[in-house]
Amino acid sequence: MNPSRTLCSPLLPQYAGYIDGKWRSAQSNRMLIVRDPATGDRLAEVPDMGEAEALAAIEAADHAWRTPVPTGERKQWLVDIHSKLLANRDELARIITLEQGKPLKEAQVEVDYAAGFFQVFASHLERLKPSTLDKTIRGASWTAHHRPAGVAALITPWNFPLATLAKKLPAALGAGCSVVIKPAELTPLSAIALVHLCEQAGVPAGRVNLVIGQPAPIGKVLCEHPAVRVISFTGSTRTGQLLLRDSAAHVKRLALELGGNAPFLVFDDADLEAAASALMVSKFRCAGQTCVCANRVYVHETVLDKFTEMVAERLSKLKVGDGAQPDTDIGPLINRATFEKVARHVQDALDRGAKRVVGDEAKPPGNDWGNFFPPTVLTGITPEMAVFQEETFGPVVAISKFQSETEAIESANSTPYGLAAYVCTRDSQRAQRCTEQLAFGYIGINTGTGPIPDIPFGGVKLSGFGREGGAEGLLEFSEIQTVAAAE
Ligand code: ADP
């Protein structure tokens, strides 16, 4: 272990969970070790909590939300946390990079992105005002009220440890809910830092609770406890399906942002240089470990060679390494299992006749960390290959060709997932036709950018339902109560 990498931060007052306004260890005294995925350095030990702490957190949250807090005060929390996130941008980025592995410059963007959700949701709290019909119907006046849904469970993954939480937390607090946060066990430190900032912003005890530890027992309590009324989850489709099943008895509201298998269509009329740059932005963010990363690249056959060359040239300039180094473009994969999955996808494609145009053979390191995967371009991809069937979650560009617009759209839609899709064309009518026919919750036209806080984002089909961002993201945490009052 390199002691200089041990994480000691003013934003991490304790390596602990947080229940009812107090920093807590695990009843069992078990601990989880958090490591830097680039080096294996031990960053921290955090409590390995379970059922008992989940229960205590739900009870604290249930008690807290029943004391109403005026909208103006809730708005002030969001405004204050937004400022605190920006004031601590560099330190938060350092924490994200150390526990997640992504390059520092991406971690800084993540902090800005996360802060944006606090600002946007603060600006939408007006939407929670009751609305009354301007006429009497059946002798009554009619009003729709937005009520807080109650306790919300926020379960987040390791790829954006701060931002995925920031998409949910301000919406829930803004709507008047209290929350129980369960971050990914690989990356709990960004969540601790954010909870610390909530505490500093004066959010009262019980409104924000943090339970770090075993996903299955904690998840079970969150699903089965009747006081939890909303589960907002970002993660795998498999876990999302479990949560749906286990929360059915209480008919809970769910917002599920699940896996994707994003197609990226490049037409022969596209600005190829711009399309290649857009692909780089989409594909290599977080070393390819995001659910909106382009996964299946379909290129018109007449521009295939030229486009592949442009991508290869851009790829050769990328620097793979420790995210903490300022010139790194691609950090390590989060763990060995992810590395092995990406390697399996590449090998499967090669075995089935694909060609590796760029990329060395992937050699796993001798130990469990430092899972750097060489950026790879594969051509000659066919639909049955694992790289097209599943989300690869790594720095691999898998390219296939098409002949017609109809074929491109059909291929893009030939997946049970429906999160993000990208279209590169100079023809605006074609862009419109593609947008209308692509069954995805998010479409990027001539851009590889991901979602922004200001407008709703989410998936369809196996990619989930519910929306984050915009006013819609706020309304996921409020219930409408209709009041008819006889005059
Ligand atoms: P990934 O494969 O991206 O890690 P997961 O769905 O396994 O996706 O994890 C996303 C989040 O869901 C993490 O916080 C993880 O701990 C949590 N999780 C995993 N399994 C369960 C479960 N059975 N119940 C509740 N949360 C879970």
Side-chain angles (χ1 to χ4, degrees):
M1 168 185 144
N2 171 359
S4 66
R5 298 293 291 253
T6 304
L7 220 173
C8 180
S9 167
L11 296 181
L12 300 168
Q14 312 232 22
Y15 296 126
Y18 188 74
I19 298 171
D20 207 12
K22 295 186 193 70
W23 294 97
R24 301 273 188 95
S25 53
Q27 269 187 21
S28 65
N29 284 326
R30 279 199 315 266
M31 301 298 278
L32 283 171
I33 298 171
V34 184
R35 289 189 188 276
D36 178 341
T39 60
D41 289 346
R42 189 185 176 109
L43 299 173
E45 278 191 1
V46 296
D48 186 6
M49 296 174 151
E51 222 175 286
E53 292 84 1
L55 203 56
I58 293 169
E59 280 165 9
D62 194 31
H63 181 72
W65 80 269
R66 291 174 191 282
T67 308
V69 173
T71 311
E73 206 174 308
R74 302 200 307 270
K75 181 172 181 170
Q76 198 55 49
W77 299 340
L78 305 193
V79 169
D80 286 354
I81 299 166
H82 169 254
S83 318
K84 288 180 192 302
L85 284 166
L86 294 182
N88 291 285
R89 181 177 190 251
D90 289 347
E91 185 56 15
L92 285 161
R94 188 174 81 92
I95 294 171
I96 293 171
T97 290
L98 283 175
E99 71 171 346
Q100 202 285 327
K102 69 180 61 179
L104 211 43
K105 52 195 173 197
E106 282 188 27
Q108 284 163 344
V109 173
E110 180 171 347
V111 179
D112 295 340
Y113 180 50
F117 284 93
F118 284 84
Q119 187 176 38
V120 164
F121 287 127
S123 76
H124 281 305
L125 294 195
E126 296 285 305
R127 289 287 296 264
L128 300 174
K129 280 192 178 149
S131 58
T132 303
L133 293 185
D134 57 8
K135 58 183 174 190
T136 301
I137 299 178
R138 295 189 192 156
S141 74
W142 295 78
T143 304
H145 293 270
H146 286 281
R147 306 293 189 202
V151 178
L154 314 182
I155 306 176
T156 54
W158 47 260
N159 55 355
F160 289 86
L162 186 69
T164 47
L165 182 50
K167 290 178 175 206
K168 306 172 191 305
L169 179 61
L173 288 179
C177 293
S178 340
V179 304
V180 177
I181 300 164
K182 201 219 76 65
E185 47 286 24
L186 292 170
T187 56
L189 304 178
S190 305
I192 297 178
L194 180 51
V195 169
H196 174 62
L197 295 181
C198 293
E199 190 182 38
Q200 283 195 341
V203 177
R207 283 264 161 184
V208 174
N209 302 276
L210 173 67
V211 179
I212 303 166
Q214 296 303 313
I218 296 171
K220 194 161 183 312
V221 177
L222 294 173
C223 286
E224 292 181 358
H225 199 297
V228 176
R229 294 308 314 157
V230 181
I231 299 179
S232 177
F233 169 76
T234 303
S236 64
T237 296
R238 179 183 37 80
T239 306
Q241 288 164 331
L242 267 178
L243 297 173
L244 260 175
R245 187 197 66 191
D246 290 352
S247 60
H250 296 291
V251 193
K252 298 190 180 193
R253 289 182 67 171
L254 286 104
L256 303 175
E257 211 265 64
L258 309 177
N261 186 353
F264 191 101
L265 312 186
V266 182
F267 286 94
D268 49 354
D269 61 9
D271 173 339
L272 294 184
E273 292 283 356
S277 297
L279 177 61
M280 301 302 286
V281 169
S282 163
K283 179 73 246 185
F284 291 102
R285 201 180 297 120
C286 197
Q289 303 168 107
T290 92
C291 45
V292 294
C293 277
N295 199 58
R296 297 172 289 143
V297 183
Y298 297 99
V299 184
H300 192 272
E301 60 178 0
T302 57
V303 294
L304 177 70
D305 292 344
K306 203 163 163 203
F307 181 74
T308 307
E309 229 171 79
M310 288 176 182
V311 172
E313 195 213 324
R314 282 165 173 75
L315 225 75
S316 63
K317 296 190 182 130
L318 296 179
K319 184 156 184 301
V320 181
D322 182 347
Q325 298 305 321
D327 55 344
T328 294
D329 298 302
I330 302 186
L333 297 178
I334 190 74
N335 58 16
R336 175 57 61 88
T338 308
F339 182 99
E340 280 167 5
K341 178 183 178 193
V342 181
R344 174 172 64 77
H345 278 197
V346 171
Q347 195 53 52
D348 168 80
L350 295 175
D351 290 348
R352 292 174 192 262
K355 194 168 153 224
R356 180 161 41 200
V357 186
V358 179
D360 302 327
E361 200 174 323
K363 289 199 191 67
N367 43 35
D368 279 343
W369 40 84
N371 290 288
F372 298 100
F373 200 96
T376 301
V377 180
L378 300 169
T379 54
I381 300 298
T382 48
E384 76 286 358
M385 294 180 187
V387 268
F388 266 24
Q389 289 290 326
E390 303 164 35
E391 201 176 26
T392 299
F393 244 54
V396 176
V397 180
I399 303 180
S400 180
K401 62 180 180 187
F402 66 85
Q403 291 178 330
S404 70
E405 185 180 310
T406 310
E407 181 195 350
I409 294 171
E410 270 174 18
S411 302
N413 279 337
S414 64
T415 171
Y417 295 93
L419 194 57
Y422 304 87
V423 179
C424 296
T425 175
R426 283 195 178 98
D427 178 344
S428 58
Q429 286 182 353
R430 167 173 277 159
Q432 195 179 335
R433 282 194 302 274
C434 288
T435 304
E436 284 167 5
Q437 292 175 59
L438 287 168
F440 293 81
Y442 174 85
I443 311 283
I445 299 169
N446 297 318
T447 174
T449 187
I452 56 168
D454 314 66
I455 196 156
F457 169 84
V460 298
K461 303 182 352 192
L462 284 192
S463 295
F465 53 80
R467 292 294 178 264
E468 295 185 318
E472 289 80 356
L474 175 68
L475 300 181
E476 296 287 343
F477 294 91
S478 89
E479 295 283 9
I480 293 178
Q481 182 184 51
T482 308
V483 178
E487 301 219 313

